[in-house]
Amino acid sequence: MKSLIMDLRGNPGGLLDQGVKVADLFLDTRQEIVSTRGRARGSTKEFYDEAKQTWPDLPIIVLVNDGTASAAEIIAGALQDHDRAVVVGAPTFGKGLVQTLFPLGEGVALKLTTARWFTPSGRTIQRIAKDEEDQANQAAMAVIADTIPGAPDKESSDSALKERPIFHTDAGRVVRGGGGIVPDLVVRPDTLTASERDFAKALGSALPEYRDALTSIALEAKKTHGVKAESFKVTPEMRQLVYTRLRARDVQMSPSVFNGAGTLVDQQLGYEIARYVFGRPAEFRRRAANDQQMQTAMGLLRKAQTPKDLLSLARTTVSAATAQN
């Protein structure tokens, strides 16, 4: 084992002790993993690593996004604060409340927030929000604001991250607080182009028919052995077959709208064929090749021999990106 990518994107987390146990694998004895702070007596606690890590020389990258929450954020925050991993992706959801249930009898109970989770550097994981819906909207906006050309919040998104309170890791690196985990390298996922959005709008409620078309073509490719190599390319003829099957299912869409999303359709059809013909590992490899966050992580790990190398590369990459902006 030479390196490790821990993909926590879309991971909603779980119980506090689960996050502590995972972080324990990669930290050293007596390093703090997370703490809870509250006003009630007994609500303030610290959780520490209990065993020496097994792979101290293993470079680690943690991938996160707006779907990373709860215990998954504990892991990302602990490894980042102790300079044990480089965090790559988009700012996380920000779910860090300790809630206690008080039974009131006859199937009625009161759920009361009694504490918040904090990373070792002192950052609160919980976002400041009116409610969970507002919290989700904040997390989503942090992801999409920089990826849609002309979006009104494009400038405010960058400035908002820079205006967050500053904290420091064990080695003195700057990390940002203010709720959720802000990655060391903010790499936002690609969003749909205008033409691809037109395609998605035209599909509307016919998404199941679209998925069926992709799957049926993939199954035929498996049955006929028409695809020989995992590195196959989706041909215009294969893409046209998707359109033909949509029209056969009474999905109304002009050829120009469909062809405008050609790159997207090719990617999704390619994933489906790879899965059915070569297996899920092949599908993952194909997806990874088009995943900007994954490619950034892999690029760093190819150059890093040690955790120290990885941190240095990440710092250099951040500095170069800052200079360009």
Side-chain angles (χ1 to χ4, degrees):
M1 187 181 293
K2 296 182 179 180
S3 59
L4 174 62
I5 293 179
M6 188 184 301
D7 193 347
L8 298 180
R9 294 175 298 179
N11 188 321
L15 299 176
L16 174 76
D17 61 342
Q18 294 174 335
V20 170
K21 287 179 180 179
V22 173
D24 190 274
L25 296 172
F26 304 101
L27 298 175
D28 284 326
T29 307
R30 297 306 299 165
Q31 284 189 306
E32 183 181 317
I33 295 174
V34 68
S35 64
T36 62
R37 303 178 193 173
R39 296 180 179 178
R41 180 178 299 177
S43 62
T44 300
K45 299 178 181 177
E46 293 81 30
F47 297 82
Y48 293 92
D49 190 288
E50 296 181 352
K52 189 174 182 180
Q53 60 177 307
T54 306
W55 310 285
D57 298 322
L58 183 71
I60 302 172
I61 285 182
V62 179
L63 293 177
V64 299
N65 64 5
D66 62 316
T68 305
S70 187
E73 293 176 287
I74 288 176
I75 299 167
L79 270 58
Q80 185 182 46
D81 281 358
H82 290 304
D83 302 289
R84 185 60 189 88
V86 169
V87 180
V88 174
T92 64
F93 185 81
K95 185 177 182 181
L97 296 178
V98 179
Q99 295 182 314
T100 304
L101 200 64
F102 297 94
L104 300 179
E106 297 184 1
V108 178
L110 173 66
K111 182 185 287 186
L112 187 66
T113 297
T114 55
R116 295 175 182 265
W117 296 352
F118 289 81
T119 73
S121 67
R123 295 178 290 166
T124 177
I125 291 178
Q126 179 67 24
R127 282 181 184 267
I128 298 176
K130 299 176 182 178
D131 49 37
E132 191 160 307
E133 182 179 358
D134 178 43
Q135 191 173 347
N137 289 337
Q138 286 187 37
M141 183 56 66
V143 173
I144 68 172
D146 272 355
T147 55
I148 299 178
D153 292 317
K154 186 178 189 301
E155 296 297 330
S156 64
S157 178
D158 274 344
S159 61
L161 289 182
K162 294 176 182 178
E163 291 173 1
R164 286 182 174 224
I166 291 176
F167 293 80
H168 294 90
T169 68
D170 291 353
R173 295 188 303 126
V174 170
V175 287
R176 297 287 178 171
I181 302 300
V182 178
D184 299 297
L185 290 176
V186 176
V187 180
R188 304 185 190 279
D190 294 333
T191 56
L192 300 181
T193 65
S195 296
E196 290 167 346
R197 289 198 295 272
D198 289 342
F199 168 72
K201 184 178 180 180
L203 266 183
S205 61
L207 183 59
E209 285 81 359
Y210 174 63
R211 297 302 310 172
D212 286 346
L214 298 181
T215 301
S216 65
I217 295 170
L219 287 170
E220 288 175 9
K222 179 179 181 180
K223 183 178 180 180
T224 61
H225 304 286
V227 176
K228 305 295 184 182
E230 187 178 314
S231 59
F232 72 95
K233 292 185 178 180
V234 174
T235 65
E237 292 75 19
M238 296 163 72
R239 185 197 314 148
Q240 182 61 32
L241 193 55
V242 176
Y243 182 69
T244 300
R245 298 198 177 182
L246 286 176
R247 293 302 302 267
R249 298 286 295 273
D250 294 325
V251 177
Q252 301 301 313
M253 181 184 301
S254 69
S256 61
V257 169
F258 179 81
N259 291 327
T263 300
L264 177 65
V265 174
D266 287 355
Q267 284 184 354
Q268 294 179 338
L269 181 56
Y271 300 152
E272 200 78 356
I273 293 175
R275 174 155 58 99
Y276 279 97
V277 176
F278 302 104
R280 286 202 177 272
E283 178 194 6
F284 174 81
R285 286 188 288 270
R286 197 174 185 94
R287 286 184 180 276
N290 296 318
D291 187 327
Q292 187 177 0
Q293 295 173 342
M294 182 68 73
Q295 289 302 312
T296 298
M298 293 174 66
L300 290 172
L301 289 174
R302 289 190 190 102
K303 300 176 184 178
Q305 300 298 316
T306 66
K308 186 176 181 180
D309 290 344
L310 182 59
L311 290 170
S312 179
L313 282 168
R315 189 179 297 112
T316 301
T317 303
V318 171
S319 298
T322 302
Q324 289 179 357
N325 294 330

